[in-house]
Amino acid sequence: MIRKQVVKLLLESGQEQFLKSYDKLSYTEKEIVGRQILNLDFDLIASMKNSLRHPSTEGEEVFPASPSARAGSLEFKETGIRALQEMKCGAILVAGGQGSRLRSSLPKGFFKTTLIKQKSLFQLFAEKCIAASALAKTQLPIAIMTSFDNHAETCIFFAENHYFGLLPSQLSFFMQPSLPVLDLEGNLFLESSERIAFAPNGNGAVYTSFLEEGIYRRWKERGIECVTFSQIDNPLSDPFDPEFIGFHLSHGLDVGIKSIAKKKSDEKLGLIVSQKDGTIRIIEYSEISDRLKAEQNERGELLFSLANISTFSFSLSFMAEAAKTALPLHPSKKAVKVWNGVDAATIPETPNAFKFEQFVFDAFALTKKIETILYEREEVFSPLKNFEGEASIESVRESLLRSDQRAFERVTGRPLSDKERSEGFELSLDFHYPTEELCSKWKGKSLPPQKYISP
Ligand code: UTP
């Protein structure tokens, strides 16, 4: 019986509150949860709790940042295509989050997203990788970051779906760590009768987990130089965008940032800002002061308007450097499952606890070779965050249709008629990475009657 040790540890670390629920557990549950308690890093928990009392605020002097380039460069695109052909690029897709705002118990990547085929987000990204590989006539690699909550389910989902056509050599999974979640008073709590509430430790885990799980070494041996970073919940993210890759390589960057223009001051997007020494950094939305959010220039436009959509490119050497650095933990208020001592826990409507997350962009302070390229929002950003309203499946499907319409027009070289524009349809991903053969086959063609269009 480990109760004695558990009680001692909880009392010493100021977590005696937890004993109330611990003592309600059965003998076996006490053993299971007790072992989790004994394995916790209580110094880390104390510093997490402390950070709630001293929240970080935006105190430093920052200035509006300007992009080094705007999307639309043929030169970058050609450089990027050559790099893809030479297998210099790999893509990381982060999918370790809990998707709590979507109110689904399944991993976000399972979400049926596309208009006609109802492809899941995972299938969509897998097929992007296959289509980009066909364009480059090679087999490009993709690595998916999962977490304790969804790792097994994700691997099984891919296996059951025959990896959506990806070859074993193309696909890797790596799992990020989790950290305890604290309630609003800074106490540990249970999410079930057998588990302390834990949550993945943020997308900043990408560097260490990528290294520790051996993918860095394998990709380095394969000659990969540039790694893109995409989030599973942005189906417009292009992990093999030749122009972005070309931008990164042509400018010899450690970090490239794809950005868009912010629409309104209170839009929930992080800001890309410039520091005194001219280098770029990102401030998370929740940590931007009201002054920065709203400041305007003499024309009444937002002064800080360059927004972060969490789409990045990294040099492999930067990733290795970042993996050696301890990134800070940021608390964020979220709605998480709490076990009430009786029934299976559900996610409440309002935030009830703090998750602690490392931010991928905190590592950007390590380099001065960092630049941003500005894209049109509708080309690159339509996140799936919420169950309804803004950034929900309705807005995502609308964006995917618009994206397919534009891709069809690019391939055929003719604008869609009003009637064609009113049709709901879906393109195979090959149209987004068109080969010369595909373009010559479809040149001048009108929209075919079938709703799912493959080459
Ligand atoms: P978000 O924090 O915006 O969404 O992560 P979420 O965690 O999926 O959903 P909520 O906040 O609980 O509703 C944005 C992206 O970063 C990944 C997510 O999978 C998503 O692609 N992410 C987030 C991780 O991979 N690990 C994390 O620890 C957190």
Side-chain angles (χ1 to χ4, degrees), residues 1-284:
M1 179 60 170
I2 57 176
R3 185 176 182 279
K4 247 190 185 166
Q5 288 162 274
V6 169
V7 172
K8 185 167 175 283
L9 207 49
L10 290 172
L11 291 178
E12 279 171 3
S13 53
Q15 287 289 342
E16 58 277 5
Q17 176 74 18
F18 187 77
L19 279 172
K20 280 191 198 153
S21 33
Y22 183 70
D23 278 335
K24 287 189 196 136
L25 300 175
S26 70
Y27 178 86
T28 319
E29 289 164 350
K30 278 200 184 91
E31 287 289 307
I32 296 170
V33 173
R35 285 193 198 288
Q36 291 166 24
I37 294 283
L38 298 184
N39 280 319
L40 292 178
D41 177 346
F42 278 96
D43 289 338
L44 181 65
I45 294 172
S47 72
M48 285 157 53
K49 194 169 172 174
N50 199 32
S51 72
L52 299 179
R53 285 197 286 270
H54 309 285
S56 75
T57 46
E58 188 41 54
E60 284 174 59
E61 208 181 349
V62 291
F63 307 90
S66 312
S68 323
R70 279 169 190 270
S73 154
L74 199 58
E75 210 179 310
F76 289 152
K77 195 172 171 186
E78 284 168 0
T79 307
I81 290 188
R82 271 198 305 279
L84 291 174
Q85 287 163 342
E86 292 163 10
M87 269 280 280
K88 285 187 181 161
C89 312
I92 291 180
L93 183 62
V94 295
Q98 292 180 308
S100 36
R101 284 169 285 171
L102 255 191
R103 292 194 226 151
S104 158
S105 56
L106 298 172
K108 225 183 216 183
F110 291 22
F111 209 91
K112 291 186 168 64
T113 305
T114 68
L115 201 59
I116 306 296
K117 286 271 188 176
Q118 302 272 301
K119 289 178 188 172
S120 65
L121 286 167
F122 277 135
Q123 179 172 2
L124 197 65
F125 278 96
E127 291 185 359
K128 286 184 191 202
C129 184
I130 292 167
S133 298
L135 172 67
K137 298 191 172 48
T138 180
Q139 279 141 16
L140 297 162
I142 182 161
I144 300 179
M145 183 166 89
T146 59
S147 61
F148 177 85
D149 288 320
N150 61 26
H151 183 78
E153 268 178 295
T154 302
C155 295
I156 293 169
F157 184 67
F158 270 86
E160 283 177 349
N161 287 289
H162 309 285
Y163 303 95
F164 300 107
L166 287 166
L167 299 171
S169 61
Q170 284 180 285
L171 178 65
S172 324
F173 296 98
F174 63 106
M175 191 166 88
Q176 67 175 116
S178 292
L179 284 174
V181 175
L182 300 181
D183 70 14
L184 299 181
E185 278 72 50
N187 300 314
L188 296 167
F189 61 94
L190 289 168
E191 66 173 37
S192 76
S193 62
E194 294 186 347
R195 195 168 185 242
I196 297 171
F198 272 95
N201 67 341
N203 60 14
V206 69
Y207 307 109
T208 39
S209 302
F210 181 74
L211 237 83
E212 282 167 7
E213 300 230 6
I215 303 166
Y216 169 83
R217 187 181 44 76
R218 292 207 297 277
W219 284 17
K220 195 171 160 64
E221 282 166 8
R222 285 163 87 162
I224 304 285
E225 290 174 17
C226 171
V227 176
T228 62
F229 173 103
S230 303
Q231 304 201 133
I232 186 65
D233 58 8
N234 178 15
L236 291 192
S237 185
D238 180 353
F240 296 103
D241 172 2
E243 184 172 3
F244 188 43
I245 291 165
F247 168 69
H248 177 104
L249 293 171
S250 313
H251 286 212
L253 299 179
D254 277 337
V255 177
I257 306 175
K258 219 179 240 198
S259 61
I260 59 171
K262 204 168 171 172
K263 274 199 276 203
K264 48 188 175 66
S265 62
D266 59 353
E267 198 178 5
K268 288 191 174 167
L269 287 173
L271 279 182
I272 302 166
V273 298
S274 174
Q275 306 182 100
K276 247 191 193 154
D277 65 359
T279 52
I280 277 175
R281 61 177 273 235
I282 293 176
I283 316 177
E284 176 65 356

